[in-house]
Every structure is written in structure tokens, then in C-alpha cells.
């Protein structure tokens, strides 16, 4: 039982609560009886189940399961479907293009998911470069043996100034481009001679045109021009995206589809430098996802 000790003057006084003692005894008795009842019930069930299992094992023949296929128990609400991921094999020049779309049409599935995604940026992202206002830029990512045409143009106007040009490893964003450690010194003059005063100009970007500023290394290209009159420039381009999308929609016919453009343009993220992507749209990119924090402007 419980004891309470109080100090009155210099002698300890012991007080026993008989009423509290009786209450505790009743509670303890109730808990004990309940516990034994539960154990008895549980033990009884275990014994029962064990006996049934033994009877089943001793049976001469195993249990028989009969399926009545004529009886409907439940109707599934699931829909079998698939996902079509954008890749070069979906392009019209692919050797399996026709057969693949024919199979998709014959399948007749609903809710087919169409997913352009990051391994092929040019096939998945319609605006690979940010809006640059009156400044217009062109980029070539390049290889060790870069040889690509670059087109500079001012729609409805003329190229009035070449602000920047570099064949090598230029860095930065449109409006803030910088020369890298590899730079062909005649880059600016070559672009000016080819483009000044024209609406459009085309330059072959390779070591034969600009010289080789760093043999054996990857060499890219960047140029920035001004137009007169100034025009706001964006890089929206569906030339590669639309044909694949059109073929997919034709193949799925009147069935419901889910269109999932899943890759956000990398320029919408904060990154220390412009995120590059392959010049060849059929080449896979392993580094297009570089940013994690979205820009706030």
C-alpha cells in the first residue's frame, strides 16, 4: 500500500489511505481477471485452429478449387495503356517510324502518355534559350572537330552591330557573353565581314574558317548581334517537335491521350553558366538538368 510521509516539527508522520488501498486492489483484481480471460480465449482459438490444420493435412485428397468463368464477381476499372517517350526513333526519317506508329494505332489503347523529356533537349524543349530582348545570340556547343553552320538574322531588319563573337569555349548568357580560355582572335572580324548590314548571314563554324585556337580540345561558338530596327527575340522553335507530335496524335486516333512535356527549360533555373545541349538533335544529353532553384524573374 501507499505511504505518505510528512515532516511535522522534527518527527516523521506516516499516514495510510485505506480507501485508496481498497480502490487499487479492486483495479488490480479486475486487470488480472481480464488478462486470464483473454489468455484463455486466445489459447482456445489457437488449439482450434491447430486441430483444423491437422485435419486438413490428414485428409486423403487435397482441397479442390473450382472456377466458374460464367460468373462475374467484379469488373476491373483499370485501363491497360503505355507510355511513348520521345526519342530519335520517333522522327520521320527513322527506319522504324512507320512500323512503330502502325503498332500504336492497332493497339487502340486509351490514356497513352506522350512524354518529350530531357535526354533529347531539341526534341523536347521548344524554347531552349531565354528571351533576349533586342540582343540576339546564336550558340554552337561543338566538338573536337566542330563543323556546323550558324545562321544570324534580323527578321524584317538589318544586322547593325556584332557585339560579340568567339570560336573556342565562350561562357556566359546572351547579353553577358565572355571569352573563355580558348578563343580565336579573328572571330569578331570574321562575323562582322560576313554579316554587317545584312538581314541574314550564314557562317561555317570550324577551324578552317576561324583557325584552331586550341588543337585537340572541344570548340564551340557564340555570337551576339544587334538589329535595326530593334526586335524582341525569343527562341521558340517547334520545327522538330511538331512532326512527332502530329504523328502520335494521328496514330492514337479518337482515343484519349495524356500529353506530358516534362522538361523545364534550363535557363529558367539559376545556374553559374549557360547550360549547353548537343547541336545534333539525335544526340543524347547527359547534363541538361543542371539547376535546382528557379529564377524569380
Amino acid at each position: 500500500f501507499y505511504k505518505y510521509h510528512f515532516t511535522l516539527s522534527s518527527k516523521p508522520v506516516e499516514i495510510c489511505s485505506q480507501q485508496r488501498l481498497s480502490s487499487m486492489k479492486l483495479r488490480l483484481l479486475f486487470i488480472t481477471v481480464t488478462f486470464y480471460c483473454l489468455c484463455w480465449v486466445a489459447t482456445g482459438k489457437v488449439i482450434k485452429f491447430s486441430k483444423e490444420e491437422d485435419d486438413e493435412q490428414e485428409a486423403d485428397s487435397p482441397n479442390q478449387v473450382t472456377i466458374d468463368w460464367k460468373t462475374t464477381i467484379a469488373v476491373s476499372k483499370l485501363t491497360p495503356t503505355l507510355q511513348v517517350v520521345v526519342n530519335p526513333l520517333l522522327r520521320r526519317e527513322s527506319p522504324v517510324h512507320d512500323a512503330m506508329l502502325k503498332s500504336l494505332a492497332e493497339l487502340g489503347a486509351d490514356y497513352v502518355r506522350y512524354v518529350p523529356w530531357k535526354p533529347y533537349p531539341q526534341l523536347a524543349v521548344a524554347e531552349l534559350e531565354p528571351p533576349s530582348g533586342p540582343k540576339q545570340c546564336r550558340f554552337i556547343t561543338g566538338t573536337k572537330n566542330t563543323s556546323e553552320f550558324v545562321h544570324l538574322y534580323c527578321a524584317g531588319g538589318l544586322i547593325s552591330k556584332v557585339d560579340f563573337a568567339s570560336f573556342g569555349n565562350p561562357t556566359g548568357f546572351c547579353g553577358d557573353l565572355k571569352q573563355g580560355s580558348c578563343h580565336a582572335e579573328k572571330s569578331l572580324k570574321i562575323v562582322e565581314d560576313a554579316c554587317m548590314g545584312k538581314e541574314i548571314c550564314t557562317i561555317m563554324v570550324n577551324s578552317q574558317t576561324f583557325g584552331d585556337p586550341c588543337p585537340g580540345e572541344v570548340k564551340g561558338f557564340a555570337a551576339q548581334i544587334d538589329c535595326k530596327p530593334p526586335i524582341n527575340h525569343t527562341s521558340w522553335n517547334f520545327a522538330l517537335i511538331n512532326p512527332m507530335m502530329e504523328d502520335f496524335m494521328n496514330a492514337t486516333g479518337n482515343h484519349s491521350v495524356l500529353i506530358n512535356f516534362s522538361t523545364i527549360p534550363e535557363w529558367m533555373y539559376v545556374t553559374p553558366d549557360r547550360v549547353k545541349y548537343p547541336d545534333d538533335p539525335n544526340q543524347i544529353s547527359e547534363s541538361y538538368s543542371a539547376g535546382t532553384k528557379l529564377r524569380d524573374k
Side-chain angles (χ1 to χ4, degrees):
F1 55 90
Y2 288 97
K3 297 181 179 180
Y4 299 87
H5 294 276
F6 298 88
T7 299
L8 300 176
S9 299
S10 59
K11 296 181 180 180
V13 179
E14 181 175 290
I15 301 176
C16 296
S17 174
Q18 295 300 329
Q19 182 179 1
R20 189 178 185 87
L21 177 61
S22 299
S23 176
M24 292 298 296
K25 286 182 177 180
L26 288 174
R27 292 180 183 178
L28 180 60
L29 179 60
F30 175 77
I31 293 173
T32 303
V33 172
T34 302
F35 174 77
Y36 277 108
C37 288
L38 291 174
C39 290
W40 179 80
V41 172
T43 302
K45 287 186 176 181
V46 169
I47 294 173
K48 182 179 180 181
F49 290 153
S50 298
K51 186 175 184 304
E52 289 178 352
E53 291 173 358
D54 291 338
D55 291 342
E56 291 175 359
Q57 292 176 359
E58 293 174 359
D60 295 336
S61 59
N63 291 333
Q64 300 294 321
V65 177
T66 302
I67 300 176
D68 183 1
W69 295 107
K70 297 180 181 180
T71 302
T72 302
I73 299 176
V75 178
S76 173
K77 296 182 180 180
L78 299 177
T79 300
T81 188
L82 73 155
Q83 176 172 282
V84 176
V85 178
V86 166
N87 64 83
L89 294 177
L90 284 175
R91 301 187 68 188
R92 289 175 178 174
E93 56 269 31
S94 164
V96 298
H97 170 273
D98 295 345
M100 182 169 52
L101 291 175
K102 181 175 181 291
S103 297
L104 179 61
E106 292 174 348
L107 187 62
D110 284 316
Y111 307 115
V112 177
R113 185 181 296 274
Y114 183 75
V115 187
W117 68 319
K118 62 186 179 183
Y120 300 96
Q122 293 201 56
L123 304 181
V125 181
E127 193 175 17
L128 285 166
E129 302 295 340
S132 58
K135 302 292 183 183
Q136 299 201 40
C137 298
R138 295 291 183 274
F139 300 94
I140 289 179
T141 299
T143 63
K144 291 183 179 180
N145 300 301
T146 300
S147 186
E148 298 278 345
F149 283 107
V150 65
H151 306 285
L152 302 172
Y153 58 88
C154 291
L158 300 176
I159 298 173
S160 59
K161 183 180 179 182
V162 179
D163 299 312
F164 179 90
S166 177
F167 176 66
N169 57 358
T171 62
F173 301 89
C174 190
D176 187 28
L177 293 170
K178 298 178 177 64
Q179 295 177 7
S181 58
C182 173
H183 168 69
E185 295 296 334
K186 296 182 179 181
S187 298
L188 183 62
K189 186 177 186 310
I190 291 172
V191 176
E192 286 178 334
D193 291 346
C195 300
M196 284 292 294
K198 298 179 180 179
E199 181 179 2
I200 184 170
C201 64
T202 300
I203 303 171
M204 172 58 78
V205 176
N206 57 23
S207 297
Q208 286 70 39
T209 302
F210 293 93
D212 193 343
C214 43
E217 296 185 20
V218 172
K219 290 170 283 293
F221 176 82
Q224 178 179 303
I225 60 174
D226 289 348
C227 296
K228 187 176 181 178
I231 58 173
N232 289 325
H233 175 72
T234 65
S235 64
W236 284 101
N237 187 349
F238 288 89
L240 299 177
I241 296 174
N242 277 352
M244 292 187 297
M245 181 79 174
E246 180 181 2
D247 293 345
F248 169 80
M249 296 301 293
N250 288 335
T252 51
N254 296 323
H255 294 274
S256 299
V257 297
L258 300 174
I259 307 303
N260 182 195
F261 279 81
S262 59
T263 302
I264 298 176
E266 277 301 302
W267 56 263
M268 297 184 71
Y269 292 96
V270 177
T271 55
D273 200 356
R274 171 181 169 269
V275 178
K276 299 177 181 179
Y277 48 87
D279 302 310
D280 181 358
N282 295 332
Q283 182 181 341
I284 195 167
S285 171
E286 299 178 354
S287 59
Y288 190 66
S289 295
T292 57
K293 181 181 179 181
L294 287 169
R295 296 181 184 273
D296 59 1
K297 60 179 180 178

